[in-house]
Amino acid sequence: MYRYDGVTRWAAACLVLVMGVLAAGCGSGDEPEGNRQGGAPERTAWPQPQGGRLTEQMCDLLGPDDFAAVGLGALAWSNRSADPKQGHNTVTCHSIGDTWLRLDLQPDAASAALLYKTQLIAHKRRMAESNRKGDLQLNGVRTAQESWFDASDLDAAHEAQVLTARRGAVVLHLQIGFLNSGKASADVRKAGGVLAETLFGRIPEVGTASTGKPHRLTLTGRGTSGPVDITYYDPVLGEQVKVGNVTLPYTKSLDFPWFGRVVTPVQLMVTPRQPTLTSRVSCEIQVDGVSLARRGPEVFAGCSGSFLDPRTP
């Protein structure tokens, strides 16, 4: 997230005020659709995915007029990106004032639920690491299967609030920036829920069809030793998991979402609890049935590698 000092924030607030005055005094009929101030946007059609891909034009699913309609301030999107390196199938929108919108379209609802879980776990971890309590609230978006709202874990001043919601295979992330820092938290959260419902209502078919499924991570340990300790990396939890006193052979399967062109580490360690000169263990890691790492038989066996989503249209 971008950072601004107090002078820049003051300037941004002044810019909002000036834009409001200009909008009130210059309401000609030549304004582009979707940029008129006050009331509901007067657009006749909403941008939809092209060839199954989210596009930069989909930032226009929410505009300053939509924020104003629910009592929030936001400037027009100044940066838009649908770069596949940022995610499997995503579009990211940013405006001055630390307001962000991100949409992620996963292959199916199960993959999207895993991504939602991953993001919530990461948010809680960052809040704990920075000693912030926050005020996490769940399921505030009526048209979503699941959602959460909290203070931003990336804003040290706690002036921004974030909302993540999942409907079907779509995950929406909205950060409401510091231009609204003077408003009551409950009001901002209620308004954010309305914005999320508004956006979902403008893409009613997106995320309803399945085009794939989650990735399947399979971890296997084999050997002739006695009990072993198993340590592996869980891509959904984003951390190492240790399982003690395991009898071989051992197999563990985990599903994880499509992260895009971002490296997902895969790791597995098989360690005999009482190793001997005759102890022999091995490990193997597969993703979607393809072996990524294999080691052993050895006294100790450690497998590691990395995984990238295959390129998509």
Side-chain angles (χ1 to χ4, degrees):
M1 299 298 182
Y2 295 157
R3 290 292 173 269
Y4 304 97
D5 56 26
V7 174
T8 307
R9 295 190 177 198
W10 174 84
C14 289
L15 181 57
V16 174
L17 178 60
V18 170
M19 289 181 66
V21 173
L22 291 175
C26 304
S28 69
D30 297 328
E31 285 186 273
E33 284 192 339
N35 290 333
R36 298 182 178 91
Q37 299 294 317
E42 299 180 21
R43 305 173 181 93
T44 57
W46 301 103
Q48 304 293 315
Q50 298 296 319
R53 300 290 304 179
L54 303 181
T55 69
E56 295 180 5
Q57 289 71 31
M58 294 182 71
C59 290
D60 293 326
L61 289 169
L62 287 180
D65 47 1
D66 297 305
F67 283 82
V70 294
L72 299 179
L75 302 179
W77 304 117
S78 54
N79 292 288
R80 305 165 181 236
S81 175
D83 186 350
K85 292 181 180 179
Q86 295 185 354
H88 161 64
N89 187 358
T90 66
V91 58
T92 303
C93 324
H94 169 258
S95 70
I96 295 174
D98 219 13
T99 297
W100 293 82
L101 169 66
R102 175 186 170 103
L103 293 176
D104 192 307
L105 177 59
Q106 289 281 306
D108 66 341
S111 299
L114 288 167
L115 180 65
Y116 173 92
K117 179 179 179 180
T118 297
Q119 293 178 343
L120 179 55
I121 290 172
H123 169 76
K124 289 179 177 179
R125 180 181 298 116
R126 289 191 295 265
M127 293 292 279
E129 290 173 348
S130 59
N131 295 318
R132 300 181 188 179
K133 294 182 179 179
D135 185 20
L136 183 66
Q137 295 181 3
L138 302 177
N139 300 323
V141 180
R142 294 172 298 178
T143 56
Q145 274 80 49
E146 49 191 345
S147 64
W148 60 267
F149 213 144
D150 201 359
S152 172
D153 55 72
L154 297 176
D155 183 355
H158 265 216
E159 294 180 329
Q161 299 190 59
V162 290
L163 164 68
T164 296
R166 181 186 69 84
R167 188 201 64 186
V170 180
V171 179
L172 176 156
H173 181 81
L174 178 65
Q175 174 162 303
I176 300 172
F178 62 75
L179 296 181
N180 301 283
S181 59
K183 295 181 174 63
S185 176
D187 294 338
V188 174
R189 295 178 181 219
K190 180 179 179 180
V194 173
L195 288 173
E197 293 165 10
T198 297
L199 187 148
F200 282 141
R202 292 169 178 173
I203 51 171
E205 302 302 320
V206 178
T208 59
S210 295
T211 60
K213 59 184 180 180
H215 295 301
R216 172 62 58 90
L217 171 66
T218 303
L219 308 168
T220 303
R222 300 182 179 91
T224 58
S225 74
V228 300
D229 291 333
I230 298 289
T231 305
Y232 63 87
Y233 178 80
D234 187 323
V236 172
L237 299 179
E239 63 184 24
Q240 298 282 347
V241 176
K242 184 174 182 178
V243 183
N245 201 27
V246 173
T247 299
L248 296 177
Y250 170 87
T251 300
K252 176 74 174 181
S253 294
L254 300 165
D255 289 343
F256 64 96
W258 291 60
F259 291 120
R261 306 304 292 175
V262 178
V263 173
T264 299
V266 291
Q267 300 171 358
L268 172 62
M269 176 68 73
V270 182
T271 308
R273 308 201 86 183
Q274 295 181 337
T276 67
L277 292 177
T278 60
S279 297
R280 293 294 182 267
V281 295
S282 63
C283 60
E284 183 178 9
I285 301 174
Q286 295 183 348
V287 175
D288 299 336
V290 177
S291 182
L292 296 184
R294 181 183 299 170
R295 192 73 180 267
E298 300 172 342
V299 177
F300 305 92
C303 294
S304 64
S306 60
F307 175 77
L308 276 176
D309 285 341
R311 295 188 180 275
T312 54

